[in-house]
Amino acid sequence: MSNYDYDSLYDELLQLEKETGTILSGSPTQIVGYEVLSELPKEAHEAPMLSLDKTKEVPRLQEFLGDQQAVISWKLDGLTIVLTYRGGKLEKAVTRGNGEIGEVITNNAKTFVNLPLAIPFQGELVLRGEAVISYSDFERINADIEDADAKYKNPRNLCSGSVRQLNNEITARRNVRFYAFALVSAAGSSEGAMNSETLVEGSFDFLESQGFEVVEHYLVDESTILDTIALFEGKIEHYDIPSDGLVLIYNDIAYGQSLGRTAKFPRNAIAFKWADELRETTLREIEWSASRTGLINPVAIFDPVELEGTTVELMRMQQEGVP
């Protein structure tokens, strides 16, 4: 490309960023400063980030849905991040952590390849999403590591380590992407923001209008939920973004909030996990292990096998035990 053509496209990009108010972190107009930190600061979340109740049964999803409308989406398998924007600028990024306290990774988030550093909305915007590394990028990064023992086990672990780096130049090389899945709050007078406060589907539309990539999702009711689950199931084998299931959340935000929550789970949403992953291996021996209460329990030792991103090589067998 000639300098003239490059400069022309660069100027066009500058104009588009000015008109839309959206500037992505990967834009050629942005030069992200790299910084090495001594540690990641900790910060408490304003509200606890609860886990979702889970099921592996489709009928349970149908029962949960009832006669309501809901939004169903991928349950991405990465690292959950909370973002805060003020005055149209990214102000803060915090990991989920233990649900109560997370780590501040703002400098690292600024290197996510698809994350807006500037958005049109000028109020305070808080949203949640998943930082992920695609399978194709995971394989590319592993291919450059010669030591077999040093290779990463799965994209989730690679993403977690990449997002929590003290040197954000390393994060930038990992091609981390961010997919929004929940609008927490949008304090301001924007019509789009007000519409997003009533329907989950509207919140996704609003986040897309601000330049965020959102998790793939569909509006369903009792007549369409089975076909939509089948649609997701047909994609999972070749889907490049790590996912371990689906999320179903009531579309009517006020209705969902009226249900409250248990001590562990909110009642407005439920996670659907795919069927258990099965792998063949070879049982090598049975060891006997004494518990602290004096029971003798059998432990199966078998050839290491990868299950849902974790290497498993022994398993305590379930039986009463012998005193």
Side-chain angles (χ1 to χ4, degrees):
M1 179 181 291
S2 68
N3 288 338
Y4 175 83
D5 289 337
Y6 179 88
D7 290 342
S8 176
L9 291 172
Y10 187 90
D11 291 342
E12 181 182 358
L13 177 60
L14 279 175
Q15 184 61 31
L16 287 170
E17 290 177 341
K18 182 178 179 181
E19 290 175 1
T20 64
T22 300
I23 303 175
L24 297 180
S25 60
S27 170
T29 67
Q30 300 300 303
I31 300 176
V32 178
Y34 296 126
E35 182 176 353
V36 179
L37 303 176
S38 59
E39 63 178 7
L40 294 174
K42 304 290 194 300
E43 182 171 302
H45 298 295
E46 290 188 8
M49 295 180 63
L50 302 178
S51 300
L52 295 180
D53 196 5
K54 299 176 179 64
T55 182
K56 295 178 181 178
E57 305 295 330
V58 171
R60 174 70 182 99
L61 284 186
Q62 294 175 284
E63 177 188 352
F64 179 89
L65 177 62
D67 59 0
Q68 294 290 316
Q69 284 191 325
V71 173
I72 191 167
S73 64
W74 291 113
K75 183 177 181 294
L76 299 183
D77 192 17
L79 192 68
T80 299
I81 308 292
V82 184
L83 301 178
T84 301
Y85 288 76
R86 287 192 179 93
K89 305 292 184 183
L90 175 63
E91 181 177 273
K92 184 171 56 179
V94 184
T95 66
R96 179 184 183 276
N98 63 6
E100 300 279 349
I101 298 174
E103 293 174 309
V104 180
I105 48 96
T106 310
N107 288 329
N108 294 341
K110 289 178 179 179
T111 70
F112 295 173
V113 294
N114 65 334
L115 186 69
L117 300 180
I119 60 175
F121 185 68
Q122 295 298 300
E124 180 185 83
L125 176 68
V126 182
L127 68 146
R128 294 174 183 169
E130 200 82 353
V132 296
I133 290 178
S134 68
Y135 284 113
S136 52
D137 281 322
F138 168 74
E139 291 167 2
R140 172 184 57 81
I141 292 169
N142 258 353
D144 292 335
I145 300 174
E146 295 183 1
D147 183 356
D149 293 334
K151 292 180 183 290
Y152 296 97
K153 294 295 183 183
N154 54 65
R156 181 184 65 245
N157 289 351
L158 174 59
C159 182
S160 178
S162 300
V163 168
R164 300 172 61 250
Q165 287 287 329
L166 297 177
N167 182 352
N168 64 344
E169 186 174 5
I170 297 175
T171 308
R173 295 199 297 264
R174 301 287 174 79
N175 220 27
V176 180
R177 304 186 73 86
F178 177 86
Y179 291 93
F181 62 67
L183 173 62
V184 178
S185 63
S189 58
S190 165
E191 181 180 348
M194 289 188 289
N195 291 340
S196 69
E197 295 174 357
T198 58
L199 299 174
V200 171
E201 187 181 34
S203 69
F204 276 118
D205 292 340
F206 173 68
L207 290 172
E208 283 190 302
S209 75
Q210 300 303 304
F212 296 98
E213 285 192 60
V214 301
V215 63
E216 183 180 352
H217 62 280
Y218 300 94
L219 184 65
V220 297
D221 57 26
E222 57 188 349
S223 68
T224 60
I225 185 171
L226 293 180
D227 288 341
T228 308
I229 292 172
L231 174 68
F232 279 108
E233 193 171 10
K235 292 183 176 183
I236 187 65
E237 183 178 355
H238 302 290
Y239 194 55
D240 198 34
I241 305 300
S243 168
D244 58 355
L246 304 173
V247 172
L248 186 69
I249 181 170
Y250 293 122
N251 192 37
D252 187 326
I253 294 174
Y255 173 75
Q257 291 176 341
S258 72
L259 301 175
R261 69 186 194 188
T262 69
K264 294 182 178 180
F265 311 118
R267 290 195 172 100
N268 68 331
I270 189 171
F272 172 73
K273 304 281 284 186
W274 302 115
D276 289 335
E277 190 174 336
L278 301 177
R279 290 288 186 272
E280 257 190 34
T281 185
T282 301
L283 177 65
R284 295 300 178 184
E285 61 179 308
I286 302 292
E287 291 184 352
W288 296 91
S289 172
S291 73
R292 57 191 177 87
T293 60
L295 295 178
I296 307 298
N297 296 302
V299 178
I301 309 297
F302 44 81
D303 290 344
V305 63
E306 290 287 323
L307 276 176
E308 299 183 355
T310 301
T311 301
V312 182
E313 54 189 339
L314 61 86
M315 183 175 296
R316 185 178 299 274
M317 301 171 68
Q318 294 183 350
Q319 74 168 39
E320 289 298 322
V322 181

